[in-house]
Coordinates of all heavy atoms in Angstrom, one line a residue:
P21 N -2.3 -2.4 19.4 CA -3.1 -1.3 20.0 C -2.3 -0.2 20.7 O -2.8 0.9 20.9 CB -4.1 -2.0 20.9 CG -3.5 -3.3 21.2 CD -2.7 -3.7 20.0
T22 N -1.1 -0.6 21.1 CA -0.3 0.4 21.9 C 0.5 1.4 20.9 O 1.1 2.3 21.4 CB 0.7 -0.4 22.7 OG1 1.6 -1.1 21.9 CG2 0.0 -1.3 23.7
V23 N 0.4 1.1 19.6 CA 1.2 1.9 18.7 C 0.3 3.1 18.3 O -0.8 2.9 17.7 CB 1.6 1.1 17.5 CG1 2.3 1.9 16.4 CG2 2.4 -0.1 17.9
G24 N 0.9 4.3 18.5 CA 0.1 5.5 18.2 C 0.1 5.8 16.7 O -0.8 6.3 16.1
K25 N 1.2 5.4 16.0 CA 1.3 5.6 14.5 C 2.1 4.4 14.0 O 2.7 3.6 14.7 CB 1.9 6.9 14.2 CG 3.4 7.1 14.7 CD 3.9 8.4 14.3 CE 5.4 8.5 14.7 NZ 6.0 9.8 14.3
S26 N 2.1 4.3 12.7 CA 2.8 3.2 12.0 C 4.3 3.3 12.3 O 4.9 4.4 12.4 CB 2.6 3.3 10.5 OG 3.4 2.4 9.8
P27 N 4.9 2.1 12.5 CA 6.4 2.1 12.8 C 7.2 2.5 11.6 O 8.4 2.8 11.8 CB 6.6 0.6 13.2 CG 5.5 -0.1 12.6 CD 4.3 0.8 12.6
V28 N 6.7 2.5 10.4 CA 7.4 3.1 9.2 C 6.4 4.0 8.5 O 5.2 3.9 8.7 CB 7.8 2.0 8.3 CG1 8.8 1.0 9.0 CG2 6.7 1.2 7.7
D29 N 6.9 4.9 7.7 CA 6.0 5.8 7.0 C 6.0 5.6 5.5 O 5.2 6.2 4.8 CB 6.4 7.3 7.3 CG 7.8 7.5 7.3 OD1 8.5 7.0 6.4 OD2 8.3 8.3 8.1
T30 N 6.8 4.6 5.0 CA 6.8 4.3 3.6 C 7.1 2.8 3.4 O 7.9 2.3 4.1 CB 7.9 5.1 2.9 OG1 7.7 6.5 3.1 CG2 7.9 4.9 1.4
V31 N 6.4 2.2 2.5 CA 6.6 0.8 2.1 C 6.9 0.8 0.6 O 6.1 1.3 -0.2 CB 5.5 -0.1 2.4 CG1 5.7 -1.5 1.9 CG2 5.2 -0.2 3.9
I32 N 8.0 0.2 0.2 CA 8.4 0.1 -1.2 C 8.6 -1.4 -1.5 O 9.3 -2.1 -0.8 CB 9.7 0.8 -1.5 CG1 9.6 2.3 -1.2 CG2 10.1 0.6 -3.0 CD1 11.0 3.0 -1.3
V33 N 7.9 -1.9 -2.5 CA 8.0 -3.2 -2.9 C 8.7 -3.2 -4.3 O 8.1 -2.6 -5.3 CB 6.7 -4.0 -3.0 CG1 6.8 -5.4 -3.6 CG2 6.1 -4.1 -1.6
T34 N 9.8 -3.9 -4.5 CA 10.5 -4.0 -5.8 C 10.1 -5.4 -6.3 O 10.5 -6.4 -5.7 CB 12.0 -3.8 -5.7 OG1 12.6 -4.8 -5.0 CG2 12.3 -2.4 -5.0
T35 N 9.6 -5.4 -7.5 CA 9.2 -6.7 -8.0 C 9.0 -6.7 -9.6 O 8.6 -5.6 -10.1 CB 7.8 -7.2 -7.4 OG1 7.5 -8.5 -7.8 CG2 6.7 -6.3 -7.7
T36 N 9.1 -7.8 -10.2 CA 8.8 -8.0 -11.6 C 7.5 -8.8 -11.7 O 6.9 -8.9 -12.8 CB 9.9 -8.7 -12.3 OG1 11.1 -8.0 -12.1 CG2 9.7 -8.9 -13.8
T37 N 7.0 -9.4 -10.6 CA 5.9 -10.2 -10.7 C 4.8 -9.7 -9.7 O 4.4 -10.4 -8.7 CB 6.2 -11.6 -10.3 OG1 6.9 -11.6 -9.0 CG2 7.2 -12.2 -11.3
P38 N 4.2 -8.5 -9.9 CA 3.2 -8.0 -9.0 C 2.0 -8.9 -9.0 O 1.8 -9.7 -9.9 CB 2.9 -6.6 -9.6 CG 3.3 -6.7 -11.1 CD 4.4 -7.6 -11.1
D39 N 1.2 -8.8 -7.9 CA 0.0 -9.6 -7.8 C -0.9 -9.4 -9.0 O -1.5 -10.3 -9.5 CB -0.7 -9.3 -6.5 CG -0.1 -9.8 -5.3 OD1 1.0 -10.3 -5.4 OD2 -0.8 -9.8 -4.2
R40 N -1.0 -8.1 -9.5 CA -1.8 -7.7 -10.6 C -1.2 -6.6 -11.3 O -0.4 -5.8 -10.8 CB -3.2 -7.2 -10.1 CG -4.0 -8.3 -9.3 CD -5.3 -7.7 -8.8 NE -6.0 -8.7 -8.0 CZ -5.8 -9.0 -6.7 NH1 -4.9 -8.3 -6.0 NH2 -6.5 -9.9 -6.1
P41 N -1.5 -6.4 -12.7 CA -1.0 -5.3 -13.4 C -1.4 -3.9 -12.7 O -0.8 -2.9 -12.7 CB -1.6 -5.4 -14.8 CG -1.9 -6.8 -14.9 CD -2.3 -7.3 -13.6
C42 N -2.6 -4.0 -12.1 CA -3.2 -2.8 -11.4 C -4.1 -3.3 -10.3 O -4.9 -4.2 -10.5 CB -4.0 -1.9 -12.4 SG -4.8 -0.5 -11.6
P43 N -3.9 -2.8 -9.1 CA -3.0 -1.8 -8.6 C -1.7 -2.3 -8.2 O -1.4 -3.5 -8.4 CB -3.8 -1.3 -7.4 CG -4.4 -2.5 -6.8 CD -4.8 -3.3 -8.0
A44 N -0.8 -1.4 -7.7 CA 0.5 -1.9 -7.2 C 0.3 -2.8 -6.1 O -0.7 -2.8 -5.3 CB 1.3 -0.6 -6.8
T45 N 1.4 -3.6 -5.8 CA 1.3 -4.6 -4.7 C 1.6 -4.0 -3.4 O 1.1 -4.5 -2.4 CB 2.4 -5.7 -5.0 OG1 2.0 -6.3 -6.3 CG2 2.4 -6.8 -4.0
A46 N 2.4 -3.0 -3.3 CA 2.9 -2.4 -2.0 C 1.8 -2.0 -1.1 O 1.8 -2.2 0.1 CB 3.9 -1.2 -2.3
P47 N 0.7 -1.3 -1.6 CA -0.4 -0.9 -0.7 C -1.0 -2.1 0.0 O -1.3 -2.0 1.2 CB -1.3 -0.1 -1.6 CG -0.5 0.4 -2.7 CD 0.5 -0.7 -2.9
A48 N -1.2 -3.2 -0.7 CA -1.8 -4.4 -0.1 C -0.9 -5.0 1.0 O -1.3 -5.4 2.0 CB -2.1 -5.4 -1.1
V49 N 0.4 -4.9 0.7 CA 1.4 -5.5 1.6 C 1.4 -4.6 2.9 O 1.4 -5.1 4.0 CB 2.8 -5.5 1.0 CG1 3.9 -5.8 2.1 CG2 2.9 -6.5 -0.1
A50 N 1.4 -3.3 2.7 CA 1.3 -2.4 3.9 C 0.1 -2.6 4.7 O 0.1 -2.7 5.9 CB 1.4 -0.9 3.4
A51 N -1.1 -2.8 4.1 CA -2.3 -3.0 4.8 C -2.3 -4.3 5.6 O -2.7 -4.4 6.7 CB -3.5 -3.0 3.8
R52 N -1.8 -5.4 5.0 CA -1.7 -6.6 5.7 C -0.7 -6.7 6.8 O -0.9 -7.5 7.8 CB -1.4 -7.8 4.7 CG -2.5 -8.0 3.7 CD -2.1 -9.0 2.6 NE -1.7 -10.3 3.1 CZ -1.1 -11.2 2.3 NH1 -1.0 -11.0 1.0 NH2 -0.7 -12.3 2.9
L53 N 0.3 -5.8 6.8 CA 1.2 -5.6 7.9 C 0.7 -4.7 8.9 O 1.3 -4.4 9.9 CB 2.5 -5.1 7.4 CG 3.4 -6.1 6.6 CD1 4.6 -5.5 5.9 CD2 3.8 -7.3 7.5
G54 N -0.5 -4.1 8.7 CA -1.1 -3.2 9.7 C -0.5 -1.8 9.7 O -0.6 -1.1 10.7
L55 N 0.1 -1.4 8.6 CA 0.8 -0.1 8.4 C -0.2 0.8 7.8 O -0.4 0.9 6.6 CB 2.0 -0.3 7.6 CG 3.0 -1.3 8.0 CD1 4.2 -1.4 7.0 CD2 3.6 -0.9 9.4
D56 N -0.9 1.6 8.6 CA -2.1 2.3 8.3 C -1.7 3.6 7.6 O -0.9 4.4 8.1 CB -2.9 2.6 9.5 CG -4.2 3.3 9.2 OD1 -4.8 2.9 8.2 OD2 -4.7 4.2 10.0
R57 N -2.2 3.8 6.4 CA -2.1 5.1 5.6 C -0.7 5.5 5.3 O -0.5 6.8 5.1 CB -2.9 6.2 6.4 CG -4.4 5.9 6.7 CD -5.0 7.0 7.3 NE -6.5 6.7 7.6 CZ -7.3 7.5 8.2 NH1 -6.9 8.7 8.5 NH2 -8.6 7.1 8.3
V58 N 0.2 4.6 5.2 CA 1.6 5.0 4.9 C 1.7 5.1 3.4 O 0.8 4.6 2.6 CB 2.6 3.9 5.4 CG1 2.5 3.8 6.8 CG2 2.4 2.6 4.7
A59 N 2.7 5.8 2.9 CA 3.0 5.8 1.5 C 3.4 4.4 1.1 O 4.2 3.8 1.8 CB 4.1 6.9 1.1
A60 N 2.9 4.0 -0.1 CA 3.3 2.6 -0.5 C 3.2 2.5 -2.1 O 2.3 3.0 -2.7 CB 2.4 1.6 0.1

């Protein structure tokens, strides 16, 4: 709660085994890390 904005502004996941063909895995990873509204 003390963080005014995300500690990173972009999340990139490199993988051959994504969770699903669609959508990409990175947005879900960012959300679960609490990285709000970052590019992923």
